[in-house]
C-alpha cells in the first residue's frame, strides 16, 4: 500500500508543526503540504493528489466547517480528521453529519492521534484488498474509535501540563535547557524540572550535558519519542 498523502490545515505555526511531526511519526503517512487558511487549502485540494486532510475549524478566509462542506459538495475522494478547540455541541454535530474520520479536541496526546491514524490506515487497506465487504468489516469502519488512556500519574504532575510540555518539546528543532523550556511554556523552573525528570525516567526524553566556555555545563533535553503513555 502506498503512503497516505496528507494535507494539514492549521493557522497556528507551532500547532501545525506538531501535527506534521505527529503525522509523520506514524508509519504509512506522509505530509505533502501544510497551509494556514481555508482558501489556500481549497486550492491545494483542487490541484494536488490528497488522501487525508487534517483540518482545524478556526481558520482565516474559509473556516474549517465551510471547507468541509465544499469538499463534500464536490464529492471529492478525500477523508477528513478534525483537530480543533471547538467543542460546542452544534459545531460537533454539524461536522459529524458531513462525515469525518475522527473529531479530536485540543490539546491531545500523540497516542490518541496515532491510534486514530492506524485505524484509518487499516480501513484503507481493507477497502483496497476487498471488492465486497463483510458485515464485520463495515462494523469496524463505522465503530467509534475509543482509546483507553492510562490515567495513573504521580500526584504532583498533571496531564494538561505534561501534554503542553511534550508538544513544546516536539516543536523544538534543537536540544533545549530547563530554563528555556520553562520560559517558553510559562511555568516555573522547579515545576519544569519535575516534569523533565519524569520524562527522562520514562525513557521518552534524552538528557545531555552542554559545555560552555564560562560557568557550569548545562543540561539540555531532546524528545526521543512523542509517545507519552500516562
Amino acid at each position: 500500500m502506498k503512503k497516505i498523502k496528507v494535507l494539514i490545515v492549521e493557522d497556528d505555526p507551532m500547532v501545525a508543526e506538531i501535527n506534521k511531526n505527529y503525522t509523520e511519526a506514524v508509519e504509512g503517512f506522509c505530509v505533502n503540504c501544510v497551509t494556514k487558511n481555508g482558501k489556500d487549502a481549497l486550492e491545494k485540494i483542487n490541484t494536488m493528489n490528497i488522501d487525508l486532510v487534517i483540518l482545524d475549524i478556526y481558520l482565516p478566509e474559509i473556516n474549517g466547517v465551510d471547507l468541509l462542506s465544499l469538499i463534500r459538495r464536490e464529492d471529492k475522494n478525500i477523508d477528513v480528521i478534525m483537530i480543533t478547540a471547538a467543542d460546542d455541541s452544534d459545531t460537533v454535530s454539524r461536522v459529524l453529519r458531513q462525515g469525518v474520520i475522527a473529531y479530536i479536541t485540543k490539546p491531545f496526546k500523540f497516542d490518541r492521534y496515532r491510534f486514530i491514524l492506524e485505524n484509518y490506515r487499516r480501513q484503507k487497506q481493507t477497502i483496497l484488498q476487498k471488492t465486497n465487504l463483510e458485515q464485520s468489516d463495515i462494523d469496524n469502519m463505522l465503530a467509534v474509535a475509543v482509546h483507553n488512556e492510562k490515567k495513573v500519574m504521580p500526584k504532583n504532575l498533571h496531564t494538561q501540563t505534561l501534554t503542553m510540555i511534550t508538544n513544546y518539546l516536539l516543536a523544538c528543532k534543537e536540544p533545549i535547557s530547563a530554563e528555556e523550556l520553562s520560559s517558553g511554556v510559562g511555568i516555573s523552573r522547579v515545576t519544569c524540572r519535575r516534569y523533565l525528570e519524569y520524562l527522562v525516567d520514562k525513557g521518552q526524553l534524552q538528557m545531555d550535558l552542554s559545555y560552555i566556555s564560562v560557568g557550569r555545563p548545562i543540561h539540555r533535553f531532546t524528545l526521543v519519542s512523542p509517545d507519552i503513555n500516562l
Side-chain angles (χ1 to χ4, degrees), residues 206-218:
Q206 178 177 317
M207 180 175 67
D208 297 298
L209 275 176
S210 175
Y211 292 92
I212 56 179
S213 56
V214 179
R216 299 170 60 184
I218 300 173

Side-chain angles (χ1 to χ4, degrees), residues 11-24:
D11 65 328
D12 185 319
M14 181 175 173
V15 176
E17 184 67 17
I18 290 169
N19 290 350
K20 180 177 184 293
N21 291 339
Y22 274 8
T23 303
E24 293 183 335

Side-chain angles (χ1 to χ4, degrees), residues 110-219:
F110 172 72
D111 54 351
R112 171 177 290 277
Y113 186 60
R114 181 184 62 183
F115 178 79
I116 289 170
L117 287 189
E118 288 177 343
N119 275 357
Y120 172 68
R121 187 186 63 219
R122 282 192 289 269
Q123 290 180 14
K124 295 279 287 185
Q125 289 172 334
T126 299
I127 291 172
L128 288 173
Q129 292 168 357
K130 294 186 176 182
T131 303
N132 300 98
L133 301 177
E134 302 287 342
Q135 182 65 57
S136 59
D137 296 324
I138 299 170
D139 289 343
N140 288 335
M141 289 180 180
L142 295 177
V144 176
V146 178
H147 184 263
N148 294 320
E149 297 171 350
K150 297 178 181 179
K151 300 298 182 181
V152 178
M153 285 187 67
K155 292 182 179 180
N156 60 343
L157 302 183
H158 301 281
T159 300
Q160 187 173 1
T161 304
L162 182 60
T163 301
M164 184 169 56
I165 289 173
T166 304
N167 287 344
Y168 192 92
L169 287 167
L170 186 64
C172 291
K173 299 298 185 183
E174 302 291 339
I176 188 172
S177 69
E179 183 176 0
E180 292 166 339
L181 180 60
S182 65
S183 176
V185 176
I187 59 177
S188 71
R189 276 180 283 181
V190 173
T191 299
C192 185
R193 287 194 182 96
R194 192 161 64 239
Y195 284 89
L196 289 173
E197 289 171 1
Y198 173 74
L199 293 174
V200 170
D201 288 343
K202 286 177 65 63
Q204 305 296 338
L205 203 62
Q206 178 177 317
M207 180 175 67
D208 297 298
L209 275 176
S210 175
Y211 292 92
I212 56 179
S213 56
V214 179
R216 299 170 60 184
I218 300 173
H219 285 105

Side-chain angles (χ1 to χ4, degrees), residues 6-147:
V6 181
L7 167 65
I8 293 175
V9 191
E10 169 61 61
D11 65 328
D12 185 319
M14 181 175 173
V15 176
E17 184 67 17
I18 290 169
N19 290 350
K20 180 177 184 293
N21 291 339
Y22 274 8
T23 303
E24 293 183 335
V26 181
E27 184 180 353
F29 292 83
C30 65
V31 176
N32 282 24
C33 186
V34 178
T35 64
K36 61 183 180 181
N37 67 68
K39 184 178 179 181
D40 288 347
L42 185 60
E43 180 183 348
K44 299 298 182 186
I45 288 168
N46 287 328
T47 57
M48 296 179 66
N49 185 14
I50 298 295
D51 301 308
L52 176 66
V53 177
I54 308 300
L55 184 59
D56 189 15
I57 286 180
Y58 300 123
L59 298 169
E61 305 288 347
I62 303 173
N63 68 50
V65 177
D66 290 342
L67 181 58
L68 175 61
S69 298
L70 290 171
I71 294 171
R72 293 293 172 252
R73 188 182 306 161
E74 296 179 14
D75 196 28
K76 292 188 176 295
N77 188 23
I78 293 176
D79 294 310
V80 177
I81 292 176
M82 281 289 184
I83 298 181
T84 178
D87 58 2
D88 62 282
S89 58
D90 288 342
T91 298
V92 174
S93 297
R94 184 180 173 191
V95 168
L96 293 180
R97 283 196 298 271
Q98 297 185 75
V100 291
I101 297 300
Y103 193 109
I104 305 172
T105 55
K106 302 174 183 177
F108 64 96
K109 292 185 290 183
F110 172 72
D111 54 351
R112 171 177 290 277
Y113 186 60
R114 181 184 62 183
F115 178 79
I116 289 170
L117 287 189
E118 288 177 343
N119 275 357
Y120 172 68
R121 187 186 63 219
R122 282 192 289 269
Q123 290 180 14
K124 295 279 287 185
Q125 289 172 334
T126 299
I127 291 172
L128 288 173
Q129 292 168 357
K130 294 186 176 182
T131 303
N132 300 98
L133 301 177
E134 302 287 342
Q135 182 65 57
S136 59
D137 296 324
I138 299 170
D139 289 343
N140 288 335
M141 289 180 180
L142 295 177
V144 176
V146 178
H147 184 263

